[in-house]
Amino acid sequence: MRVLIINTSERTGGAAVAAHRLMDALNNNGVKAKMLVRDKETDQLTVSALPQSWRQQWNFLWERFVVWTRLHFKREHLFEIDIANCGTDITKLPEFQEADIIHLHWINQGMLSLNNIRKILESGKPVVWTMHDIWPATAICHYCRGCEQYQVECTKCPLLPGGSMAKRVWRQKERMLQGQCITFVCCSEWLAGEAKKSALLAGQRIVSIPNAIDSRVFCPQNKQQARQTLGLPVDSRIILFVSQRVTDPRKGMNYFVEAIQKLVQQHPEMRKNTGVAILGGHAEEVASQLALPSYPLGYVSDPQRIVSVYNAADVFVLPSLEDNLPNTLMEAMACGVPCVSFRVGGIPEMIDHQSNGYVAQPCDANDLAYGIHYVLAEADYDELSHECVKKVARCYSQQSVANRYIEEYQLRMKPKSLNG
């Protein structure tokens, strides 16, 4: 069985990381899997890039320009909307023609257009589409922010003032999916539940399979050595915040800053024995806002250094306002680091409240602060850490995730009369 995994980027972004890990998991479990990406970042032989062309950059810029004009030349929401109006036809590429299964992941920002996806569907090859957010089930947004229009029909998008773009893209997606049979895989039960409400995906197969992680790489290591490697204090407790861009409002930095302030007010001794490490782009911009000593680590791409960052921490805090199945939570838990997050999206499926971490009430900085203190000072820390590692081994191992995908591939490859 040959599987072609398609994603915009090879390494950058949560979807890219998850897609790459799935490729490794499949190859380690008897499937020949390759990736096809627009943005190739390594020399790995199992990853192919689109043919080099000025059109790649043009596709990205043109889509952004069209969205920008509809936003009345404002940057707000510019990268929260995708209309898939341009992309690359991959059906003639040898990687596509050799594949038995076409597995789409995050294909936005000029990678594939809706017309390109329609050609893939009309090729007759079985298609599986992993949803890393809700975009395949809506017209143009990646997160709905409470909007429920997609359950009937997207018309005017709350992210887009005026106009009928959402309705037009919705109709294009309807035509693209008409008469087609796709397996949509959601990375969390929460997202699967949301996808099943979508009028756009009515009649399609929707299942939930989590992302995989290589626990041989992400695993507990010596905290003192990890801190020495990173130049972090070895005699302090470390609270960790991680995001690709830490200033992304969706990741809840404002609530994190407020929670740290409340912690210091309630437990002033923490100023002397606790610090905050921040991993991600723009980390230095928020470090000065925190009431505890802070250590901005910037953006890191080296996997071994990322593992050291997790292992240097005593608790990982991710106060996302919307999220599916964050890779960062899984990575921290695999390293035995208890996590504290809001009860949103698929996060409660990962963190078992007061068993391997703490699940705070959404948008409640007080509860978030209590959860951090609970992990650091009230709970049996060793037991929390042990339960983190057990949860990852049970639910997110390469073998378990790969086997579930292989079952879906085999189902898709059956004759249509048996496929339902």
Side-chain angles (χ1 to χ4, degrees):
M1 183 189 299
R2 294 180 173 86
V3 176
L4 181 63
I5 293 173
I6 302 170
N7 198 77
T8 301
S9 172
E10 178 185 358
R11 292 282 191 178
T12 302
V17 171
H20 199 282
R21 288 175 179 171
L22 176 61
M23 177 187 68
D24 290 341
L26 292 171
N27 283 322
N28 289 336
N29 285 274
V31 174
K32 294 181 179 179
K34 291 184 176 181
M35 278 185 77
L36 177 66
V37 301
R38 183 192 67 193
D39 304 329
K40 183 172 168 63
E41 300 163 74
T42 72
D43 57 1
Q44 190 165 347
L45 296 178
T46 53
V47 180
S48 299
L50 294 179
Q52 290 296 314
S53 168
W54 60 269
R55 289 184 180 275
Q56 307 301 332
Q57 185 67 9
W58 171 254
N59 289 338
F60 169 77
L61 293 174
W62 177 245
E63 182 185 28
R64 288 309 101 200
F65 179 76
V66 173
V67 173
W68 188 46
T69 59
R70 296 306 178 99
L71 290 170
H72 304 312
F73 305 102
K74 296 179 181 179
R75 287 185 58 85
E76 186 179 13
H77 307 314
L78 181 58
F79 289 94
E80 298 173 43
I81 294 169
D82 276 294
I83 59 176
N85 62 335
C86 50
T88 301
D89 180 6
I90 66 170
T91 58
K92 301 296 191 295
L93 297 179
E95 293 87 354
F96 183 91
Q97 295 179 350
E98 293 168 0
D100 300 309
I101 294 282
I102 305 302
H103 192 155
L104 304 179
H105 282 256
W106 201 89
I107 43 71
N108 298 110
Q109 296 189 2
M111 173 71 179
L112 297 180
S113 69
L114 297 181
N115 285 335
N116 298 148
I117 298 172
R118 177 180 53 80
K119 285 188 176 182
I120 291 172
L121 298 176
E122 292 177 349
S123 72
K125 289 183 180 286
V127 174
V128 173
W129 192 341
T130 292
M131 295 175 57
H132 295 278
D133 53 44
I134 198 134
W135 185 83
T138 70
I140 61 177
C141 71
H142 291 274
Y143 287 91
C144 295
R145 298 191 173 190
C147 175
E148 298 180 348
Q149 289 190 58
Y150 72 98
Q151 297 180 19
V152 181
E153 178 185 26
C154 292
T155 53
K156 293 184 178 180
C157 180
L159 300 177
L160 201 64
S164 58
M165 178 175 284
K167 186 173 183 178
R168 184 166 66 252
V169 176
W170 177 275
R171 295 287 172 82
Q172 289 176 323
K173 285 188 173 181
E174 277 188 326
R175 291 193 294 271
M176 176 187 78
L177 294 171
Q178 187 175 8
Q180 301 296 336
C181 187
I182 305 172
T183 294
F184 287 91
V185 177
C186 301
C187 301
S188 67
E189 295 288 351
W190 164 77
L191 186 59
E194 295 299 302
K196 289 174 181 177
K197 298 175 186 176
S198 171
L200 198 61
L201 303 189
Q204 301 290 353
R205 177 170 172 79
I206 300 171
V207 299
S208 174
I209 303 176
N211 297 330
I213 191 167
D214 189 344
S215 56
R216 297 169 300 179
V217 176
F218 288 88
C219 58
Q221 297 176 0
N222 184 280
K223 284 193 184 301
Q224 302 302 313
Q225 291 181 0
R227 291 177 181 180
Q228 289 174 351
T229 298
L230 299 166
L232 295 173
V234 297
D235 55 351
S236 293
R237 297 177 302 187
I238 299 295
I239 301 170
L240 176 64
F241 182 98
V242 177
S243 177
Q244 183 179 355
R245 179 169 60 89
V246 301
T247 54
D248 181 353
R250 187 171 60 85
K251 294 299 183 180
M253 175 56 77
N254 288 343
Y255 290 98
F256 181 69
V257 171
E258 185 179 354
I260 296 299
Q261 180 66 43
K262 291 181 181 297
L263 268 177
V264 172
Q265 291 172 351
Q266 296 164 9
H267 308 280
E269 72 280 1
M270 293 185 70
R271 290 184 185 274
K272 297 181 180 180
N273 63 15
T274 308
V276 178
I278 310 169
L279 177 65
H282 306 279
E284 65 286 345
E285 296 179 21
V286 300
S288 61
Q289 303 175 32
L290 297 167
L292 288 172
S294 56
Y295 309 95
L297 302 175
Y299 182 81
V300 175
S301 58
D302 176 52
Q304 291 301 327
R305 190 167 178 83
I306 293 173
V307 171
S308 293
V309 172
Y310 285 117
N311 274 284
D314 294 288
V315 60
F316 174 54
V317 184
L318 183 66
S320 292
L321 308 183
E322 295 177 294
D323 233 323
N324 181 16
L325 197 83
N327 289 323
T328 51
L329 281 182
M330 191 183 302
E331 290 163 357
M333 292 173 66
C335 294
V337 180
C339 302
V340 179
S341 294
F342 287 142
R343 186 179 297 278
V344 298
I347 287 173
E349 300 169 33
M350 306 180 74
I351 303 176
D352 301 316
H353 184 56
Q354 295 185 322
S355 174
N356 56 31
Y358 189 94
V359 183
Q361 292 303 309
C363 303
D364 188 338
N366 283 307
D367 201 20
L368 190 70
Y370 175 75
I372 298 171
H373 191 263
Y374 171 82
V375 170
L376 292 177
E378 299 181 29
D380 182 334
Y381 187 86
D382 290 340
E383 182 64 18
L384 290 179
S385 178
H386 178 67
E387 289 298 322
C388 285
V389 177
K390 279 180 58 179
K391 178 68 176 280
V392 171
R394 183 172 69 251
C395 299
Y396 311 127
S397 71
Q398 280 195 348
Q399 183 175 7
S400 65
V401 173
N403 286 341
R404 292 179 66 180
Y405 267 110
I406 291 169
E407 290 177 4
E408 293 300 327
Y409 296 153
Q410 291 172 339
L411 183 61
R412 277 274 69 88
M413 293 177 70
K414 290 181 180 180
K416 290 186 177 180
S417 60
L418 300 178
N419 215 6

